[in-house]
Amino acid sequence: MNSENKIPAQKIYEDATRLMNNAHKELQQAKKNGKFYHDVKHLQVACGIAYLATIKAINGILLLRNIPKPKRHASIEYYQYGLAQVDKKILDSLNVAYRILHIDGYYEGFNHMPTIKSGFEKAQFIINKLKHSI
């Protein structure tokens, strides 16, 4: 781990935390209806923000491990490959967050509360891992 990357990683952690707070606020606006969210627009925005927070946190983790970022836009495969070298539990959490938050929640508008909650929990797990790595 490179100590000169701790300050940028701390900033990344703060950004990821701010984004997750925003995602939770947006999710509250989606209004619950039984085990489903009623307002899909707010749900999709919340999932998109939570996924962005997840990616920011992973960028911080990979920065601390000196895994270089690609010159072009990073794909999910880049993150999966990088995390496979770092921590399999974080990789598993990324895969769940990617599927639930990015694909199901953001793109598909999947509104089942327990499923979305598990995606948010995996995102928070990754953010917490970054915090404990700094």
Side-chain angles (χ1 to χ4, degrees):
M1 226 178 286
N2 191 340
S3 63
E4 68 186 39
N5 291 335
K6 287 195 178 219
I7 292 173
Q10 178 66 36
K11 173 73 171 110
I12 291 169
Y13 166 73
E14 291 166 4
D15 288 346
T17 300
R18 181 182 50 79
L19 286 168
M20 273 308 281
N21 289 336
N22 290 344
H24 282 290
K25 288 175 188 173
E26 191 70 36
L27 193 59
Q28 287 176 342
Q29 294 180 16
K31 298 188 179 126
K32 301 171 185 175
N33 184 8
K35 289 189 175 187
F36 297 91
Y37 288 105
H38 180 68
D39 189 331
V40 175
K41 177 194 151 243
H42 286 291
L43 167 74
Q44 288 176 303
V45 171
C47 289
I49 295 169
Y51 182 68
L52 179 59
T54 304
I55 294 300
K56 282 203 172 277
I58 292 169
N59 281 332
I61 292 167
L62 296 179
L63 174 68
L64 288 171
R65 298 298 177 104
N66 295 316
I67 296 175
K69 241 185 144 169
K71 295 190 188 311
R72 302 179 125 204
H73 176 73
S75 66
I76 186 64
E77 291 81 13
Y78 159 76
Y79 295 111
Q80 289 168 329
Y81 176 78
L83 288 177
Q85 299 174 39
V86 173
D87 187 320
K88 300 284 195 247
K89 287 183 182 179
I90 300 174
L91 173 59
D92 290 341
S93 294
L94 168 64
N95 288 333
V96 171
Y98 173 73
R99 180 66 210 190
I100 292 173
L101 297 176
H102 189 60
I103 303 298
D104 295 338
Y106 178 71
Y107 279 112
E108 301 295 330
F110 185 74
N111 63 346
H112 186 245
M113 278 179 38
T115 303
I116 298 301
K117 180 181 177 187
S118 70
F120 269 71
E121 288 169 352
K122 295 301 181 185
Q124 191 61 56
F125 171 79
I126 293 169
I127 293 168
N128 290 341
K129 283 292 194 176
L130 171 58
K131 178 183 178 183
H132 296 299
S133 297
I134 298 173

